[in-house]
Amino acid sequence: MNRLVAVVVVFAVAGVVAWLLQRRKPAPPTQPTAYPVPTQLDRADFTRPDAPWLVVLFSSETCGGCASVREKTRVLAATDVAYQEVSYQTDKELHTRYSIEAVPLVVIADAEGVVVNSFVGEVTAIDLWGAVATARDPSSEPRSP
């Protein structure tokens, strides 16, 4: 019986020591999660370079989330907002020129091609509409309480 108690105590102590050592283990290093996003576009590379605003969807035919983002961005086209989808399969040159590494990537640029907002990955229609509205009229941005 004393032997059984000794074994149980040894296992309990070993468990507590293992638990304490596990807690002391440092967290893994932070991994970069952001992909590069262009900060400037040459408006001559895209449709309607004279439009005050440009929404570009960089996509790929093999991208699972691109179809959803395509439907959400396509409807942003307006008199003062040019819209263009740039598929990797049909326009690799633009993907390379702007160092696009992840799709879907939506960029919103002003008349000079300065990127004022961007979204990497899937995005909600509300976020897209809000970003375009804020770009067109900065006073429309919701204020924090």
Side-chain angles (χ1 to χ4, degrees):
M1 185 73 162
N2 282 341
R3 217 172 148 153
L4 180 59
V5 171
V7 169
V8 169
V9 169
V10 168
F11 277 112
V13 169
V16 170
V17 169
W19 179 74
L20 289 172
L21 289 175
Q22 182 68 24
R23 287 189 53 189
R24 290 185 57 212
K25 187 177 181 182
T30 303
Q31 300 298 316
T33 56
Y35 290 95
V37 173
T39 57
Q40 178 77 40
L41 302 177
D42 182 347
R43 289 296 302 268
D45 288 340
F46 301 94
T47 189
R48 297 181 46 215
D50 57 325
W53 299 99
L54 172 66
V55 175
V56 179
L57 167 60
F58 289 96
S59 66
S60 172
E61 293 170 15
T62 60
C63 164
C66 289
S68 168
V69 176
R70 180 181 307 114
E71 296 305 313
K72 295 169 189 168
T73 55
R74 182 182 294 167
V75 298
L76 295 170
T79 305
D80 62 342
V81 180
Y83 168 75
Q84 183 173 346
E85 180 179 0
V86 180
S87 172
Y88 178 78
Q89 286 73 16
T90 58
D91 205 344
K92 290 180 188 175
E93 296 81 23
L94 282 179
H95 276 253
T96 301
R97 176 172 163 88
Y98 292 104
S99 302
I100 306 303
E101 295 180 8
V103 294
L105 167 62
V106 178
V107 295
I108 301 167
D110 67 12
E112 287 77 40
V114 175
V115 174
V116 296
N117 210 329
S118 63
F119 300 91
V120 179
E122 293 195 52
V123 60
T124 68
I126 292 170
D127 288 338
L128 284 168
W129 279 94
V132 171
T134 299
R136 291 167 76 185
D137 179 9
S139 68
S140 69
E141 183 171 18
R143 296 187 184 154
S144 300

